[in-house]
Amino acid sequence: MNRYDKLSQYVMAILFLIFIGLILFLNLLLPKKVFSESENRKLEQLPVFSFHSFISGKFTSDFEKYMTDQFVAKEIWVDVKSSVDRVIGKKESNGVYLGKDGYLLQKFVERSESELKEKVQTINSFHSSTPELTKYIMLVPTAVSVLQSKLPDYVSGDRERVLLNDVRTSLNPGIHYVDVYPVLSSRQNEPIYYKTDHHWTSKGAFYAYQQLSKQMGFTHKRDEDFDIRILTHDFYGSLYSKSGFRNLSPDSIELYIPKNEWEYTVEYVEEQQRTDSMYELENMKKKDKYTVFFNGNHPLIKINTGHKEGQKLLVVKDSYANSFIPFLTSHFSEIYMVDLRYYEGDVASLAQQHQIHDMLILYNMNTFVEDPSINNLTDTKE
C-alpha cells in the first residue's frame, strides 16, 4: 500500500469521525421536541435516572426510545432508509408495514404482561371505588388485526386480538365491554381505517357508535340521518410520515353532520376557550388534518348539547374518540372528554361534581397497551 492510499484512508477516517462528532454534537445541543406533528404523538423525553430503573432495565429502554425520538433530522433518515427498503422489496419500516392496495399498517408492539395486568387492575379498582358510575369500555382493534387481507403475507394480527380477549375476560363483570371487532371485521372491505394514518375513519367510528348504542340502550342514527361531507381528498397521515414510504395515494376525510342538528357549545376547560363547533376547519391547511376533530387532544373538553332531558356522559379517551364523540351529541345532554395523558385532575371527583352516571373508556388497543396514563385513573389529586 503506497502512501497515497494510506493518506486517503486517513482522510476518510477523519471525515467519518468528524461526521459522527457533528451528529453527536447536534443531538446534545439542539432543543428537544415535545410533540411530533407528523406522528401526532408526544415524543419521549430524557428519563430520570435511578438505581432501581437502571437495574431493572427500564432506564436503558426508555433512554433508547428517547434517543430514537430525538435523533437529529430523524424524518430525513427515515425517508432514506424507507426508500432503500422499498427498492430491495422490504415491507416494513420504522414499525409500519407496507400492505396491499396502498395501506400502511402500524405494527402492534406488545408490552410486558405485568404492565397490561396493572392497567386492567387500575380500571377494576376505579370501578370498585365508584359504584355510582355505570361503566362501558371500548378497546378498538387497530387496522393490523382487522384488515387481515391488507397485511403482507408474512404478518399476522392475531396477537392483538388475543390481548383484547385477555382484557375482556379480566375486567370486573360489572363493567360493560363493548366488542367492536366483529362489526369492524365484517366491514373490512369498506374504508373504515385511513390508508396512511393510524386512526379509524369517521365511517369506522360510525359503525362502532351503532354497536355502543345497543349496549347503552339508545336508538342510533342511520346513514340517511347524516349529511356526509368530504373535507379533503389530500390527507397524508402519521404512518406516511413515520414510515417514509412514498408514492402512495392520499386519504379523504369525511364529516357526518346530523341533518336535524341541535345547537351545542364546546368548552376547552383548561384553555378557557369556547366555540360552537366540534371541528376546527382551519386545520385542513395543516399537515395533521385529523386534528380537524376537536383541534386535536386536550386535557378536558365539555360539550353542552342542549338536550335538557339527556343523561351526562364522561369519556376517558385517546385520539380515536375525537372522530367518535360527535355521533353521541344527539343522545346526551352533556359530554365530558378527559385525556389522561394531559389531565391532572381527579376523574372520580369530576364525575361526582357534575353528577355524571355514565362513563365510557375508549382507547385504540395500541395506545392502551403502550401508554401508561390509564393508571392515572386511580390517582388522587389534591
Side-chain angles (χ1 to χ4, degrees):
M1 184 180 294
N2 61 45
R3 62 174 182 171
Y4 297 106
D5 290 333
K6 290 183 179 180
L7 180 61
S8 64
Q9 288 185 355
Y10 289 146
V11 170
M12 291 297 295
I14 292 172
L15 290 176
F16 179 74
L17 290 174
I18 291 174
F19 174 75
I20 295 297
L22 179 62
I23 294 295
L24 177 62
F25 178 78
L26 292 174
N27 274 316
L28 290 174
L29 292 188
L30 286 179
K32 306 309 176 189
K33 297 181 180 179
V34 176
F35 187 83
S36 170
E37 184 177 337
S38 63
E39 297 181 43
N40 191 31
R41 67 177 180 88
K42 292 175 68 176
L43 298 176
E44 292 286 340
Q45 303 300 303
L46 183 64
V48 177
F49 179 84
S50 70
F51 182 74
H52 175 72
S53 66
F54 180 75
I55 294 299
S56 66
K58 187 176 186 304
F59 176 81
T60 53
S61 175
D62 290 345
F63 186 79
E64 182 180 355
K65 295 175 187 175
Y66 161 74
M67 290 301 298
T68 299
D69 273 3
Q70 301 292 347
F71 197 84
V72 63
K74 174 187 172 183
E75 293 185 5
I76 296 175
W77 296 112
V78 168
D79 283 356
V80 171
K81 179 182 180 299
S82 298
S83 298
V84 173
D85 287 345
R86 195 165 186 181
V87 168
I88 65 176
K90 193 175 179 182
K91 299 291 185 180
E92 180 184 346
S93 175
N94 203 25
V96 179
Y97 297 119
L98 176 60
K100 300 167 185 175
D101 301 324
Y103 271 88
L104 297 178
L105 305 106
Q106 186 174 16
K107 183 178 182 179
F108 181 69
V109 180
E110 187 176 346
R111 301 297 284 266
S112 71
E113 186 177 337
S114 62
E115 288 180 290
L116 189 62
K117 285 184 177 180
E118 182 184 4
K119 292 172 183 177
V120 175
Q121 289 171 357
T122 294
I123 295 171
N124 287 339
S125 296
F126 182 81
H127 176 69
S128 298
S129 64
T130 54
E132 70 282 359
L133 270 175
T134 302
K135 299 174 191 70
Y136 303 82
I137 183 168
M138 181 189 295
L139 296 182
V140 184
T142 62
V144 77
S145 64
V146 175
L147 305 184
Q148 293 284 299
S149 63
K150 307 301 182 186
L151 290 173
D153 294 334
Y154 65 93
V155 177
S156 170
D158 292 343
R159 187 54 186 162
E160 185 182 64
R161 295 200 300 276
V162 169
L163 292 184
L164 277 166
N165 187 63
D166 288 347
V167 172
R168 180 180 63 83
T169 56
S170 301
L171 287 169
N172 186 300
I175 300 173
H176 302 274
Y177 184 83
V178 186
D179 187 2
V180 296
Y181 181 84
V183 66
L184 293 176
S185 180
S186 69
R187 302 280 186 171
Q188 63 181 282
N189 292 325
E190 300 180 36
I192 57 174
Y193 293 93
Y194 294 111
K195 289 185 173 183
T196 69
D197 192 76
H198 68 284
H199 293 100
W200 57 5
T201 63
S202 294
K203 182 180 286 291
F206 172 69
Y207 291 134
Y209 146 74
Q210 291 185 323
Q211 189 66 25
L212 178 66
S213 72
K214 298 173 185 178
Q215 293 266 22
M216 299 193 78
F218 60 81
T219 302
H220 64 74
K221 291 183 176 293
R222 301 163 297 174
D223 278 321
E224 53 266 32
D225 297 321
F226 296 92
D227 286 323
I228 301 176
R229 303 176 188 174
I230 299 177
L231 295 184
T232 182
H233 291 290
D234 192 31
F235 171 44
Y236 286 101
S238 59
L239 300 183
Y240 182 84
S241 299
K242 181 179 181 180
S243 68
F245 289 124
R246 298 295 179 257
N247 301 316
L248 299 171
S249 299
D251 284 298
S252 299
I253 294 181
E254 296 179 332
L255 299 185
Y256 280 59
I257 308 296
K259 291 181 179 178
N260 298 314
E261 189 174 22
W262 292 65
E263 292 186 359
Y264 55 83
T265 59
V266 179
E267 182 181 355
Y268 298 95
V269 177
E270 294 198 9
E271 295 87 347
Q272 298 184 345
Q273 297 176 356
R274 183 173 295 185
T275 179
D276 60 359
S277 176
M278 292 178 284
Y279 309 109
E280 185 58 55
L281 297 181
E282 282 296 309
N283 288 358
M284 299 311 295
K285 301 174 183 177
K286 294 183 177 180
K287 179 178 178 59
D288 184 12
K289 294 177 172 56
Y290 186 78
T291 58
V292 68
F293 301 102
F294 291 103
N295 197 24
N297 298 309
H298 300 266
L300 175 62
I301 298 176
K302 176 185 176 182
I303 306 171
N304 191 320
T305 68
H307 293 278
K308 302 300 182 184
E309 305 301 321
Q311 296 291 323
K312 298 178 181 180
L313 177 67
L314 170 64
V315 182
V316 173
K317 44 76 70 177
D318 69 2
S319 57
Y320 261 54
N322 295 357
S323 57
F324 180 87
I325 295 299
F327 293 110
L328 300 182
T329 57
S330 300
H331 308 286
F332 295 92
S333 61
E334 294 177 6
I335 300 174
Y336 295 81
M337 300 168 60
V338 170
D339 194 321
L340 292 174
R341 293 170 293 185
Y342 314 106
Y343 185 66
E344 297 182 353
D346 182 65
V347 175
S349 298
L350 178 70
Q352 185 177 25
Q353 175 186 351
H354 296 284
Q355 299 181 325
I356 302 170
H357 299 291
D358 292 310
M359 175 180 176
L360 171 66
I361 298 173
L362 195 163
Y363 280 78
N364 81 81
M365 189 56 179
N366 211 50
T367 299
F368 183 78
V369 169
E370 287 193 340
D371 189 272
S373 63
I374 191 70
N375 295 321
N376 297 335
L377 198 58
T378 56
D379 284 353
T380 301
K381 312 292 193 311
E382 295 296 333

